[in-house]
Amino acid sequence: MRTLYHIPLSPYSRKVRLALAEKRIPFELRIERFWERRPDFLAMNPACTVPVLQEENGFTIADSYAICEYLDEAYPDMPLFGRTLGERAEVRRLIAWFDHKFHAEVTRNLLYEKQLKRLLGRGNPDAAAMRAGYQNMKMHMEYIGDLAENRAWLAGSQISLADFAAAAQLSSLDYIGDVKWELSEPARDWYARMKSRPCFRGLLADRISGLAPPDHYSDPDF
Ligand SMILES: N[C@@H](CCC(=O)N[C@@H](CS)C(=O)NCC(=O)O)C(=O)O
C-alpha cells in the first residue's frame, strides 16, 4: 500500500493528505518521529523531514511541494494546480505564500513554539515569538478573507492546492485552538466550506493522545 510518513500536526503532511484524499488516491498513514532520526527514514529522506510518500513499488519522494506536483502529474484527474497558464502561476504563488510566508510568520511562531519545541527538546516557548504569531495572524486572516470574498476559491474559480496549502496551515493551528476565526468572517466561511469536503474527514478525525482539540475543531458549522 502507498504510505505517507507524517506527524499529525505537521501542516505540510496535512497538505499532502488533503491532496491525496481530494484525488481519491488510497494511502495509509505512518507516524514518523523524525527527531529520532531513524536510519531507514534518513535513507528515504536525508533532510529527515515529514512528509515522505512511498509508492507501493518502493518509489519514494520527499518534500510536500514535490510530492503534490508528482501526484498531479502521476494522477491527472482532478488537477490541483489550475488549468490555464495564468491560473497555474497564481496557484503556485499562493502555495509559496502559505508554505513559506504564512508558515514563517504565523505557524512557526505558534505551533512550533508551543508543541514541537517541547518534542524536540529545544527549550521553552518564546513569548515574543508567540506574540508575533498572533499579531501576524491578523494580516493573514484578512488576506485569506479578501481572496475568499473576491474569488470562488483562493486562487480562482476552481479549488486548488492553494486552498489545501492554506487549510493545512490553519487546521494544524486550529487543532491547538490558536486560530482567531473572529478576525475574518469570509475566511471563516471559506474554511467551513473546506471542512465540509470529504477530503477533510481524515484531518477532522485526528486525535493526538494527551492533546485534545477544541470542540469546534471537527465541526464544519463552527
Ligand atoms: N519543505 C518541506 C518542509 C517540511 C518540514 O519542515 N516538516 C517539518 C514538520 S512540519 C519537519 O519535518 N521538521 C523537521 C526538522 O525541521 O528537523 C516540505 O514541504 O515538506
Side-chain angles (χ1 to χ4, degrees), residues 161-212:
L161 196 66
D163 296 278
F164 296 131
Q169 298 288 329
L170 285 167
S171 75
S172 297
L173 290 167
D174 204 33
Y175 190 97
I176 60 165
D178 259 355
V179 181
K180 296 190 183 304
W181 292 109
E182 66 279 10
L183 286 171
S184 168
E185 207 173 307
R188 186 190 177 117
D189 290 348
W190 160 82
Y191 190 67
R193 277 193 285 142
M194 294 299 291
K195 261 170 132 177
S196 56
R197 292 182 80 79
C199 69
F200 232 88
R201 283 186 199 140
L203 266 55
L204 299 186
D206 266 359
R207 291 296 176 272
I208 296 161
S209 141
L211 182 66

Side-chain angles (χ1 to χ4, degrees), residues 3-221:
T3 304
L4 185 72
Y5 294 83
H6 81 130
I7 57 168
L9 282 180
S10 155
Y12 300 110
S13 304
R14 285 177 171 237
K15 182 180 63 179
V16 176
R17 290 168 68 188
L18 289 171
L20 283 161
E22 181 73 11
K23 284 176 166 288
R24 303 200 183 99
I25 302 171
F27 65 102
E28 63 186 27
L29 286 168
R30 178 165 167 182
I31 290 184
E32 182 64 43
R33 298 174 203 282
F34 55 81
W35 53 95
E36 291 175 358
R37 300 180 69 79
R38 195 167 57 88
D40 285 352
F41 184 65
L42 269 171
M44 284 195 278
N45 177 16
C48 208
T49 55
V50 288
V52 169
L53 181 75
Q54 187 165 52
E55 289 282 30
E56 212 155 7
N57 65 7
F59 175 71
T60 302
I61 180 161
D63 188 88
S64 65
Y65 185 83
I67 296 170
C68 290
E69 211 165 45
Y70 157 77
L71 290 173
D72 224 44
E73 288 171 7
Y75 308 92
D77 285 352
M78 301 197 195
L80 292 180
F81 280 78
R83 290 183 167 81
T84 66
L85 197 59
E87 279 172 11
R88 293 173 72 74
E90 180 63 353
V91 169
R92 289 191 166 95
R93 180 186 76 83
L94 284 174
I95 296 168
W97 176 281
F98 293 110
D99 280 2
H100 303 301
K101 189 171 170 67
F102 186 102
H103 184 267
E105 295 177 358
V106 184
T107 313
R108 194 180 158 80
N109 283 327
L110 299 175
L111 188 68
Y112 172 76
E113 288 297 330
K114 289 181 169 185
Q115 296 299 328
L116 278 179
K117 224 172 167 179
R118 191 168 39 85
L119 269 180
L120 303 176
R122 292 186 191 156
N124 294 319
D126 176 342
M130 283 163 49
R131 271 197 305 280
Y134 291 123
Q135 183 62 32
N136 294 336
M137 187 180 289
K138 286 187 195 148
M139 178 280 276
H140 279 282
M141 293 302 278
E142 280 167 17
Y143 187 53
I144 294 169
D146 283 350
L147 292 170
E149 260 190 324
N150 291 301
R151 301 165 167 185
W153 297 99
L154 296 188
S157 59
Q158 309 286 331
I159 195 163
S160 74
L161 196 66
D163 296 278
F164 296 131
Q169 298 288 329
L170 285 167
S171 75
S172 297
L173 290 167
D174 204 33
Y175 190 97
I176 60 165
D178 259 355
V179 181
K180 296 190 183 304
W181 292 109
E182 66 279 10
L183 286 171
S184 168
E185 207 173 307
R188 186 190 177 117
D189 290 348
W190 160 82
Y191 190 67
R193 277 193 285 142
M194 294 299 291
K195 261 170 132 177
S196 56
R197 292 182 80 79
C199 69
F200 232 88
R201 283 186 199 140
L203 266 55
L204 299 186
D206 266 359
R207 291 296 176 272
I208 296 161
S209 141
L211 182 66
D215 287 345
H216 73 259
Y217 171 76
S218 42
D219 179 2
D221 293 320

